[in-house]
Every structure is written in structure tokens, then in C-alpha cells.
Amino acid sequence: MNYSLRPYQKNLINKVRTEYARGIKHVLVVSPCGSGKSVVIGQILKDLRDKGNQALFLVHRKELIDQMGKYTVDNDHVDLITVQSMVRRLNKFDPSYYQLIVTDESHHSMAKSYTKIYDHFDQAYRLGFTATPERQDKRGLGRVYESIAEGPSVKWLIKNHHLAPYKYYAPTLMDISKLKKQHGEYSNKSIDEQMTGRIFGDVIKNYKKLALGKKTIVYCNTIKNSDRTAEEFKSHGFKAESIHSKTNPTVRDQMVQDFKDGKIDILVNVDLFGEGFDVPDCECVILLRPTTSLCLYIQQSMRCMRYKPGKQAIIIDHVGNALKHGLPDMDRKWTLDDTKKDVEVQVSVKQCPICFAVYEGYKKKC
């Protein structure tokens, strides 16, 4: 596949090379959603091939392999494989077989399956990629990586027309203070208790008011709520479908294609359209899943911010995620160290009492 690198992508590759040149073997690249990490990875793997080295590209979902395959179609020096498959095959590989292990969405790379692979190929260099190097369990990625190479900020990417500008609205429909946690995340049971008929009706009302006609992805916490939300949209005349893990894979692929082709306007989902899902035409995201995870929040809220000329992205947050985590383009200081558990991060945002727009706290008005 032929592709050209943007200047900031070339600069990011040079940052990685600088880290390796100063003796760092395990580098984590942090770059925002939509900044073109696949292109950067493709170029790095091409450079490795030209030197005759062998690379392993690890992901946790097959869909990410399909996406990366477009950038490595002519590269016979890289193996694209899911971490689950690689763990089963480790005994077939000599520990010196790979010179580089590239891990996409590497906030997952602390899991035992990943570290088992890293330990087997302990002489290989590591290169991780993520938009959010923060784990829900607060353990730092410093156990796997030694340094961070940072890409441009979300603000810079918006200003320079690499991400779409957005408007963020938070007409919160549930009382987040009443939610209970289970294994660090809000429990589905406590969320479901607040998902009343009034909430579903208000979702439609706010969509009509703030994003009518925009191609939209809705995020729900359970299949039941996903199905009910899609039916609510359908009952108001919108072309909507619910899509989740129990949807037949063939049907699911067709739904995604119909969404891209404009035959479906609204896709309601449960944990499907986050990492690796790229639809530049998506103009609006509706958040109906409260989360304690900054990573999940960023992945979901920015799904509508892929750049397209003239596009204005809309994020409608009905569950107060921005009030907990801040806005998607806020500057954040990333670290490889552990962070303290059970400490609420104070985010400086304000909410307009009239239109429910959320904006950074230093601004005097929305």
C-alpha cells in the first residue's frame, strides 16, 4: 500500500529512533486517537524489513489485524497475530526469532498473556502504541516500557486540520453518585436501575435538538439497553440498528458497511466501536455508558473526530463522563509510573446551564 507520512508522523518516528539510539530498548508511543498510528507503524515495519529484520505485530482483537494488514500487505518480514494465538504458538518459535515486537493498543500489555510473550522473546526490542497509557487498575506501564515518545496534542491536531473540531454537550440524565462499582468499573446493575423510559425519551429529544441528521454512534453498557435504544430511535423514524457481540458476524459486517454507505444513520453498540474502528463520516457520538476508565472514555468520545473537510463533530454525554475525566482535547501528563488508586482526578470544566455545553474551566463563557 502506498501512503505518505505527514511531518508530525515523521517527527514521531524520529523520536522513536532517538530513544533507541540512546540505548532504550522498550519505547511506548503515545499519540491521540485519529492521529494515524497505523501509518507510523507501517513505516517503521517497512524500515525494519529493509534492514532484513523480523517483527511481530501484536493486537488483542482480530479487527485490528485487518486494519494493519493494509499497511503491511507487501511486507513479508512481519507477522500480524492476536496475542491469544501467539501465546498458544510460543513453543514453535526460537526466542531470537523476532528483533522487534510492536504492540498496538498497548495499555493492554500488562496482561499475563502479553508479558508471557515478552518474556519468551526477551532479547527483542519493544515498541508500544496507545492514545491513553493509563490503566484502570492504576498500574504503570513502566513494567513493560522504559520511555515515552509523545506525538502531537489533540488541540494541535484540531488546529492543523488533522482532527475535526467538536462541540461537547452533557445533558446528564442519570445520577452518577448512585452508581456502584464492581472490579473498579460501574456495575451494569446500578446503571440499569437508572435507565428509565424517561431517559430513553430524552436521548431522542436531545439528538433532535443537537445532532439531527448526523451519522451517529451510540455507546451503551448492555445488550438490553443497546437494543432498547435502537428501537426507540426506530420508533421515531430513524434508520437505527443495535450491534453487539451476539450479532451474527456476517450481519455485523453488513451493518457496519451500511453505516458507512449511509443506509443506516445510527449504530447503537456495546464495546465494539472503540479501538481500531475508523469511520471518518461519523459525525456524532452519544454516550450512554458511564465509565471510570479514562481510556475507554477517550476512545469512545473521540470516535466522531476523524477529520473530514467542513466537519463539525458533536459529542452528547448523557452520563457525566466529561465531568469526571475532562474534555477529549485537554492536555494530560502521561507517565509510566503507578498512580494512586481511588483518587478522583479534579478536572477543570464548566457546564452552561442553558445549553448544557461543556467547556474548559479557564473560559469565562461557553
Side-chain angles (χ1 to χ4, degrees):
M1 179 181 181
N2 293 322
Y3 52 84
S4 58
L5 292 170
R6 298 165 181 164
Y8 72 83
Q9 293 168 331
K10 293 179 181 178
N11 183 52
L12 186 54
I13 292 175
N14 288 333
K15 286 185 178 182
V16 172
R17 288 172 176 161
T18 298
E19 292 301 290
Y20 286 147
R22 72 184 187 94
I24 301 296
K25 284 194 68 174
H26 309 312
V27 181
L28 179 66
V29 173
V30 178
S31 197
C33 300
S35 60
K37 292 190 289 291
S38 295
V39 177
V40 172
I41 295 172
Q43 184 62 49
I44 289 172
L45 293 175
K46 180 179 180 298
D47 294 342
L48 199 75
R49 178 202 66 187
D50 294 344
K51 294 180 180 179
N53 293 320
Q54 196 74 20
L56 171 64
F57 179 79
L58 282 178
V59 293
H60 67 293
R61 289 195 297 113
K62 179 182 178 297
E63 290 83 355
L64 297 173
I65 289 181
D66 296 337
Q67 176 179 302
M68 195 63 222
K70 296 183 293 186
Y71 299 93
T72 59
V73 66
D74 57 349
N75 190 341
D76 58 359
H77 282 247
V78 58
D79 293 328
L80 310 181
I81 191 168
T82 65
V83 63
Q84 299 88 350
S85 296
M86 193 65 212
V87 166
R88 293 193 297 267
R89 303 178 189 179
L90 274 180
N91 61 355
K92 298 181 180 180
F93 287 88
D94 186 276
S96 63
Y97 185 75
Y98 294 111
Q99 286 72 57
L100 176 68
I101 300 176
V102 179
T103 305
D104 198 12
E105 308 298 350
S106 54
H107 42 276
H108 298 292
S109 60
M110 293 282 290
K112 289 183 179 179
S113 51
Y114 284 89
T115 57
K116 188 173 183 179
I117 295 169
Y118 299 148
D119 289 344
H120 183 79
F121 301 108
D122 60 349
Q123 295 304 306
Y125 284 71
R126 295 183 207 137
L127 184 60
F129 286 81
T130 183
T132 48
E134 183 174 306
R135 290 174 53 86
Q136 204 164 349
D137 61 10
K138 305 303 180 183
R139 291 193 301 161
L141 295 178
R143 294 171 174 81
V144 177
Y145 301 102
E146 301 170 85
S147 70
I148 291 177
E150 282 200 54
S153 68
V154 177
K155 282 187 173 72
W156 186 92
L157 290 167
I158 292 173
K159 182 179 179 180
N160 290 275
H161 310 294
H162 300 300
L163 285 176
Y166 72 95
K167 291 183 179 180
Y168 201 111
Y169 299 95
T172 306
L173 301 181
M174 65 173 61
D175 187 351
I176 307 303
S177 66
K178 293 183 179 180
L179 297 180
K180 298 178 180 179
K181 293 181 182 179
Q182 187 176 24
H183 307 300
E185 181 60 288
Y186 297 125
S187 72
N188 284 328
K189 181 180 178 181
S190 65
I191 296 173
D192 289 346
E193 287 172 352
Q194 296 203 46
M195 294 296 286
T196 64
R198 179 189 63 80
I199 285 183
F200 288 101
D202 284 349
V203 169
I204 305 300
K205 182 179 72 175
N206 286 310
Y207 172 76
K208 290 180 177 179
K209 179 181 178 181
L210 300 171
L212 184 63
K214 288 186 176 291
K215 189 174 289 188
T216 299
I217 292 176
V218 184
Y219 292 94
C220 291
N221 66 310
T222 62
I223 292 174
K224 177 183 175 181
N225 286 332
S226 179
D227 290 344
R228 185 173 177 182
T229 302
E231 288 303 316
E232 191 74 27
F233 273 105
K234 285 181 179 180
S235 71
H236 285 78
F238 296 106
K239 294 180 290 183
E241 294 292 345
S242 173
I243 182 170
H244 41 71
S245 60
K246 291 187 178 180
T247 306
N248 179 280
T250 302
V251 174
R252 187 167 63 195
D253 291 344
Q254 187 59 55
M255 284 182 177
V256 172
Q257 190 59 51
D258 287 346
F259 182 73
K260 293 178 179 180
D261 294 340
K263 297 177 182 178
I264 295 174
D265 297 323
I266 299 166
L267 271 184
V268 189
N269 83 106
V270 183
D271 291 340
L272 288 182
F273 303 140
E275 300 158 345
F277 185 71
D278 188 18
V279 180
D281 286 348
C282 176
E283 303 166 283
C284 173
V285 160
I286 297 177
L287 302 177
L288 286 178
R289 175 183 176 170
T291 180
T292 63
S293 168
L294 173 64
C295 177
L296 183 62
Y297 162 65
I298 292 295
Q299 291 282 352
Q300 293 184 349
S301 64
M302 291 188 64
R303 201 51 45 189
C304 59
M305 291 174 61
R306 297 299 193 265
Y307 182 74
K308 188 177 180 181
K311 177 177 167 182
Q312 173 70 69
I314 300 291
I315 303 168
I316 306 175
D317 176 3
H318 287 303
V319 291
N321 283 332
L323 305 180
K324 178 178 179 62
H325 299 296
L327 293 167
D329 63 341
M330 277 188 166
D331 294 328
R332 293 176 169 86
K333 187 176 181 180
W334 303 118
T335 178
L336 293 174
D337 299 330
D338 293 352
T339 54
K340 293 181 179 179
K341 292 185 178 182
D342 302 323
V343 175
E344 291 294 321
V345 178
Q346 297 298 313
V347 296
S348 180
V349 295
K350 294 178 180 177
Q351 184 176 34
C352 175
I354 299 174
C355 71
F356 299 107
V358 177
Y359 53 98
E360 293 197 51
Y362 69 87
K363 296 181 180 179
K364 295 183 178 180
K365 59 182 180 180
C366 79

